[in-house]
């Protein structure tokens, strides 16, 4: 998948993850894209490990499955980010 697809998918996945997780997460447009792209990479890695396709970050499914795995990955990244920033405060 191209980097443009990851950016668009990241923006959508990050926005969905922020809408699902309760509370104020902070961050703007760029933070949402970064959250979503990291989530897409993490979701792709976990999805490939679960399905036995090896250690690979790329998403090999159609766009809907890629979006679902990216949102799950973004929720995990958002949870970790919340724990790290909460412990700093």
């Amino acid at each position: 998948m191209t980097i443009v697809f990851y950016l668009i998918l990241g923006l959508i996945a990050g926005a969905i993850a922020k809408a699902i997780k309760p509370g104020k997460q902070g961050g703007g447009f760029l933070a949402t894209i970064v959250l979503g792209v990291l989530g897409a990479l993490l979701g792709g890695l976990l999805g490939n490990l679960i399905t036995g396709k090896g250690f690979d970050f790329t998403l090999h499914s159609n766009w809907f499955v890629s979006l679902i795995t990216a949102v799950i990955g973004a929720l995990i990244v958002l949870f970790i980010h919340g724990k790290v920033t909460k412990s700093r405060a």
Side-chain angles (χ1 to χ4, degrees), residues 75-89:
L75 283 169
I76 294 169
V77 170
L78 192 58
F79 176 77
I80 292 169
H81 179 265
K83 291 295 183 187
V84 169
T85 57
K86 186 177 182 182
S87 66
R88 271 198 241 160

Side-chain angles (χ1 to χ4, degrees), residues 14-15 17-28 31 35 78 81-82 85:
K18 281 187 171 186
I20 291 173
K21 187 173 181 301
K24 182 170 176 21
Q25 291 87 27
L35 165 74
L78 192 58
H81 179 265
T85 57

Side-chain angles (χ1 to χ4, degrees), residues 38 51 64 81:
L38 289 176
T51 59
F64 186 72
H81 179 265

Side-chain angles (χ1 to χ4, degrees), residues 15-83:
I16 292 172
K18 281 187 171 186
I20 291 173
K21 187 173 181 301
K24 182 170 176 21
Q25 291 87 27
F29 182 74
L30 186 60
T32 302
I33 291 177
V34 170
L35 165 74
V37 170
L38 289 176
L41 292 172
L42 179 63
L45 174 66
L46 293 175
N48 288 331
L49 288 175
I50 289 170
T51 59
K53 294 181 181 170
F55 192 82
D56 188 11
F57 289 99
T58 57
L59 300 168
H60 296 287
S61 302
N62 62 26
W63 69 270
F64 186 72
V65 174
S66 297
L67 180 63
I68 298 299
T69 57
V71 169
I72 292 170
L75 283 169
I76 294 169
V77 170
L78 192 58
F79 176 77
I80 292 169
H81 179 265
K83 291 295 183 187

